[in-house]
Amino acid sequence: VTPVLAGGGAGMASALVEAVVKAALALGSISFIGRFVLNRLFNIVAMAKSQEAFLGVVLMTVMGMSFLTEGLGLSNTLGAFLAGVLLSETKYRYQIEADIAPFRGILLGLFFLTVGFEIDLQLIATNFPVIAGIIMAILLIKAVVATAVCAVFGLSFANAQQAGVYLCQGGEFAFVTFGMARGLGILTPLQTKILLTSVAMTMAVTPALVEASHHFAKRMEENSGFTHYMGEDRDANEIKESEDFVVVIGYGTVGKLICELLDSKLIKYIGIEVNPNKAIEARNRGLPVFYGDITRPEVAEAFSVGKAKGCVVTISEKLDTNRAVITLRRLYPNLKIFARAKNDQHRERLMKTLDVVAMVPVLPEDSLLLTLPFGGAVLSSLGAPVEEVKAILETKRKEIIELRNPEFGRDDLLMLGFNTVGDASADVSAADMEGVEAEYVADREGEEIPQKEKESQERKDEIVKKVLEAGA
């Protein structure tokens, strides 16, 4: 289409038809390759257990798709994008993501370096009104449109405006389009430079805008009515009215990671926490975690627990777990319940007398890793493929270990038995994980509370008091 514009627009209709046909051929070819060729090819390479071969197939896929689209007269950048979509649909997507992680960081750095080179400070100074107007127009139009679309699809304004700010910058395809337009004489070199500088500046200011948006959203959440914390607002009602959600009882160490695993599978959930401080903290971050005591039947009815696909009880105290499970089983005899048990005897009793899926943590209480087998059982019982569940758990293990010790790298993971080639479902033994915990888990007792948390404590105490009064 761009070459047609360079010729004055003559033959626009035929050019559009030709572009549609080429795009259909490209998408059809890529879909065929992805469905019938790529998975089988990756299966063969995975059996060889060669990281170099696995990575070579990934790069070959990207390059091949780029050449295919370029040969059909489309952008090779579009081919690379479609290759990424194709690779993300394979069952090896988590392994692919892990293998390309080092290259991703380097290439992203190079990309933003080239973007930075497009920023001409002298040009900005001499054409400030024009460039400032273009920057504001791009940011405002994209932010308003994205925020409106998110609001239409049910997001709260606090979350919708965050999504709008995340998406408001100019895209990388602008560099391809403007460069092509300059080469064909549609834009002058000065016009191209102004446009490229404006797009680069929208990317440069995005981190600051995102940070401001985050603080704005947090302030909005904190100033919301108390129904916001009691499960009576729009977010909670939307989830409760659906037929495809999970209820998580308790938002401690185990509950948090269960919710993160559900998020990774895009499974809707409602968290119910009896500790108002935990509920308020999670709710202020936009998470669907609400204050409530599940042992009260009216609370279970208010959260539509009977409609849920399943209920996960992650409470650490044995007596509290028993009360919650007994209440749920009495109210909903057919509800699928997963429960965290204190010991083997407790697990057997829950399974035999109350017909629940119960598991006992095998690692120390302060370890996030203890929740992974329990979370994997929940995902599997909700219908997630076994290979995908194991890949998610392995990825999460790596994130937890690297978060607690940033210097803990890929070689350390290999030494512990994390598979990095071929089958992405290899497990690490409990003994290995316990050893990792003993060496790398930082002792957080006595750690100074950040100043921003101290400043918001009075507001949180006030909310806690109101929430407890409302729930009494």
Side-chain angles (χ1 to χ4, degrees):
V1 177
T2 306
V4 174
L5 292 175
M12 176 66 74
S14 60
L16 287 174
V17 171
E18 184 180 356
V20 170
V21 171
K22 289 180 178 179
L25 286 173
L27 292 174
S29 302
I30 290 173
S31 177
F32 174 82
I33 293 172
R35 182 180 294 271
F36 298 104
V37 177
L38 205 56
N39 265 318
R40 295 182 182 179
L41 182 59
F42 274 114
N43 285 337
I44 296 172
V45 175
M47 291 174 62
K49 298 188 180 299
S50 169
Q51 182 180 353
E52 291 77 11
F54 195 86
L55 188 57
V57 172
V58 174
L59 297 177
M60 182 189 70
T61 303
V62 176
M63 298 298 293
M65 296 304 173
S66 297
F67 291 144
L68 176 62
T69 53
E70 188 175 28
L72 291 172
L74 302 173
S75 169
N76 54 10
T77 308
L78 176 63
F81 170 76
L82 294 175
V85 174
L86 197 63
L87 292 171
S88 69
E89 294 299 318
T90 69
K91 67 179 181 180
Y92 293 97
R93 53 186 174 274
Y94 296 103
Q95 185 63 47
I96 293 170
E97 182 180 359
D99 281 346
I100 67 173
F103 303 97
R104 180 179 59 189
I106 294 172
L107 294 176
L108 276 175
L110 290 174
F111 169 73
F112 284 109
L113 278 174
T114 59
V115 170
F117 288 142
E118 296 293 343
I119 299 176
D120 189 333
L121 298 179
Q122 184 176 358
L123 182 68
I124 294 175
T126 55
N127 298 274
F128 184 78
V130 176
I131 294 177
I134 294 173
I135 293 172
M136 292 299 295
I138 294 174
L139 295 175
L140 285 175
I141 292 174
K142 294 192 69 175
V144 168
V145 171
T147 301
V149 170
C150 291
V152 168
F153 279 90
L155 269 70
S156 64
F157 181 73
N159 291 331
Q161 62 87 22
Q162 279 189 289
V165 172
Y166 271 108
L167 299 173
C168 70
Q169 72 276 3
E172 60 274 12
F173 280 101
F175 297 97
V176 178
T177 305
F178 294 150
M180 184 182 296
R182 179 179 59 184
L184 295 171
I186 300 175
L187 297 175
T188 65
L190 178 61
Q191 291 173 332
T192 304
K193 192 67 176 175
I194 289 175
L195 290 173
L196 292 178
T197 299
S198 301
V199 171
M201 285 300 299
T202 64
M203 295 182 179
V205 301
T206 296
L209 293 177
V210 167
E211 188 68 21
S213 173
H214 173 73
H215 287 297
F216 179 65
K218 185 176 180 180
R219 181 66 62 180
M220 287 186 64
E221 299 284 2
E222 290 176 350
N223 293 332
S224 299
F226 296 108
T227 57
H228 181 67
Y229 303 101
M230 305 292 292
E232 300 172 4
D233 60 353
R234 178 180 176 182
D235 291 346
N237 290 332
E238 181 182 352
I239 298 175
K240 289 186 289 186
E241 290 171 1
S242 68
E243 300 289 338
D244 192 23
F245 70 96
V246 175
V247 177
V248 180
I249 309 299
Y251 196 69
T253 302
V254 178
K256 286 179 182 178
L257 199 54
I258 293 294
C259 293
E260 290 177 8
L261 293 174
L262 292 173
D263 270 333
S264 69
K265 282 294 297 176
L266 301 179
I267 298 175
K268 294 180 182 178
Y269 68 88
I270 284 181
I272 303 176
E273 170 58 54
V274 73
N275 184 328
N277 284 294
K278 293 181 180 179
I280 289 168
E281 181 182 354
R283 198 71 191 100
N284 286 343
R285 289 188 282 120
L287 299 174
V289 179
F290 306 94
Y291 171 75
D293 184 358
I294 198 62
T295 60
R296 295 170 58 178
E298 61 270 22
V299 172
E301 288 295 326
F303 285 99
S304 302
V305 174
K307 296 170 57 179
K309 290 177 61 177
C311 182
V312 187
V313 180
T314 67
I315 303 171
S316 60
E317 295 298 326
K318 180 178 178 180
L319 291 178
D320 293 337
T321 299
N322 290 341
R323 293 191 189 100
V325 173
I326 290 171
T327 300
L328 291 169
R329 183 55 73 212
R330 184 177 67 250
L331 294 174
Y332 312 107
N334 298 320
L335 179 65
K336 185 182 293 185
I337 300 176
F338 308 87
R340 174 186 177 186
K342 194 71 175 178
N343 49 47
D344 289 337
Q345 292 78 14
H346 188 211
R347 178 178 64 85
E348 291 294 329
R349 186 174 181 181
L350 289 173
M351 294 178 67
K352 290 181 179 179
T353 62
L354 294 171
D355 189 27
V356 303
V357 178
M359 290 188 66
V360 183
V362 296
L363 293 178
E365 177 63 27
D366 64 352
S367 170
L368 282 174
L369 291 173
L370 70 90
T371 68
L372 292 175
F374 184 64
V378 172
L379 292 179
S380 297
S381 298
L382 292 174
V386 175
E387 294 83 2
E388 189 169 346
V389 170
K390 289 184 177 180
I392 291 174
L393 297 187
E394 182 177 351
T395 301
K396 200 65 186 177
R397 287 187 188 113
K398 294 178 183 179
E399 289 178 2
I400 293 170
I401 294 171
E402 291 176 352
L403 178 64
R404 289 181 168 180
N405 187 45
E407 296 180 358
F408 192 77
R410 184 184 183 88
D411 293 337
D412 301 298
L413 294 172
L414 284 168
M415 290 175 63
L416 288 175
F418 284 108
N419 189 20
T420 57
V421 179
D423 183 8
S425 63
D427 287 324
V428 177
S429 67
D432 285 336
M433 289 191 286
E434 190 168 5
V436 173
E437 290 300 296
E439 187 171 355
Y440 292 106
V441 174
D443 182 10
R444 300 183 62 86
E445 292 184 3
E447 184 176 340
E448 184 178 355
I449 300 175
Q451 184 62 31
K452 60 175 65 178
E453 293 184 21
K454 292 181 180 179
E455 294 173 354
S456 64
Q457 189 60 46
E458 292 184 4
R459 168 65 178 166
K460 183 181 291 186
D461 291 341
E462 178 187 353
I463 294 174
V464 169
K465 183 179 179 181
K466 296 279 187 176
V467 170
L468 288 174
E469 290 174 354

